[in-house]
Each structure stands twice: as C-alpha cells, then as structure tokens.
Amino acid sequence: MKKVIVMSVAMLLFSCCCQHEQKLIEKAAYNYSYAMANYQIDEAEKYATEETKNSTLKMAKEIVKKVDSNYIKSDMPATIDIVDVKVVNDTCAVATYHKVTPLKDFSDTLELRKRGGQWKAYVIPRRVAPPVQQDTSKAGPAIRSFQDVKQGK
C-alpha cells in the first residue's frame, strides 16, 4: 500500500513539474514570436539564445532598416497563438505557433533551447554547404567532357 501511495505522489509531482516546464516553454515561444511578428527585434533579443542574437536577429535588424515603414505599419498588429509544445529533451523543445497579421495568416514552428535555466528561441539560418574542393595535384589526365563519355572514350 505504501508503494502505491509513494508512486502516486511521485507521478503527481512529475506531472506538475512537466506542466510547469511546458508553460515556461510556451511563454518564451510566445514572447519571441510576438516580438518578431511585430518587428520588435530589440524585444525579441530578450527571449533568444546568443547564437540567435548574433545571427538571425543581427540580420533581421539590417533587413528591417531597409523595409518601407509603410509596409511594416500595414503588417501590424500581429497576433500569435501557441498551438502546441513538444519537449524533445531536457534542453530542447519545439513550439508550433499560428501568426495572423493584416497581410499574413500562417503556422510555423520555433525551436527553443534551455540556456542558463531559461528557455530561449533558437533560430539559426540554414546555410548551403560550400562546394567540395577536390585535390587536383594528384589528378591524372583532365576530366573527360560529356561528349567523350557519351562516345565511350
């Protein structure tokens, strides 16, 4: 009987802890997404990892400077709804959000990482890998042309 009570209490505590963590993730995702959707890049920095600040937000600040202010005004205000939160592990989560502005209506996902005990948005631009450089110093004769290959040479 004692084992059942102990297990029940442990399950209850674990459930409460998980719900609390979900709320923290949801709050961080909302705050970052809302700030970005409303062109408040400086505000978004509060909810972003250092990597995100140094890449995505740095780039966003430059882009916003070049965008017509009338366009920005016409795209606000934005509303954000956090639709789902999935905890991947103890330091990584993914939130799905829905964004509505006068010009846009869509859903997307946002990766979050736990840094220094706080959940922060982790948004890093994807880069195309540079072309592989071949070592031509040991190459034999020049590469055959398509015509040579086609003719079986």
Side-chain angles (χ1 to χ4, degrees), residues 1-10:
M1 185 65 171
K2 285 184 181 182
K3 288 182 183 180
V4 171
I5 293 173
V6 169
M7 289 297 288
S8 297
V9 170

Side-chain angles (χ1 to χ4, degrees), residues 21 25 49 87-94 111-120 122:
E21 202 70 12
I25 296 166
T49 63
V87 178
V88 177
N89 58 41
D90 59 344
T91 61
C92 184
V94 177
E111 186 174 341
L112 295 105
R113 301 275 176 97
K114 194 170 191 179
R115 302 284 168 81
Q118 295 184 314
W119 287 98
K120 305 244 178 192
Y122 180 78

Side-chain angles (χ1 to χ4, degrees), residues 1 4 14-15 19 28-29 43 46 50-51 56 59 61 65 69 83-84 87-88 92 99 131-132 137 150 153:
M1 185 65 171
V4 171
F14 180 74
S15 174
Q19 288 176 351
E43 182 68 16
K46 296 176 187 177
E50 287 301 315
E51 299 96 333
T56 305
M59 185 172 41
K61 285 180 181 182
K65 288 178 191 176
S69 62
V83 178
D84 187 36
V87 178
V88 177
C92 184
K99 173 182 169 180
V132 176
S137 64
K150 192 173 176 185
K153 292 182 184 179

Side-chain angles (χ1 to χ4, degrees), residues 53-71:
K53 290 178 194 176
N54 294 329
S55 61
T56 305
L57 297 182
K58 188 175 180 181
M59 185 172 41
K61 285 180 181 182
E62 293 302 313
I63 292 170
V64 168
K65 288 178 191 176
K66 296 174 183 175
V67 174
D68 180 20
S69 62
N70 289 326
Y71 175 81

Side-chain angles (χ1 to χ4, degrees), residues 73-112:
K73 289 176 187 172
S74 71
D75 196 35
M76 294 182 359
T79 59
I80 298 290
D81 288 315
I82 303 301
V83 178
D84 187 36
V85 172
K86 289 189 180 2
V87 178
V88 177
N89 58 41
D90 59 344
T91 61
C92 184
V94 177
T96 302
Y97 65 93
H98 186 78
K99 173 182 169 180
V100 178
T101 73
L103 302 176
K104 302 172 199 139
D105 184 345
F106 67 93
S107 293
D108 203 355
T109 59
L110 174 66
E111 186 174 341
L112 295 105

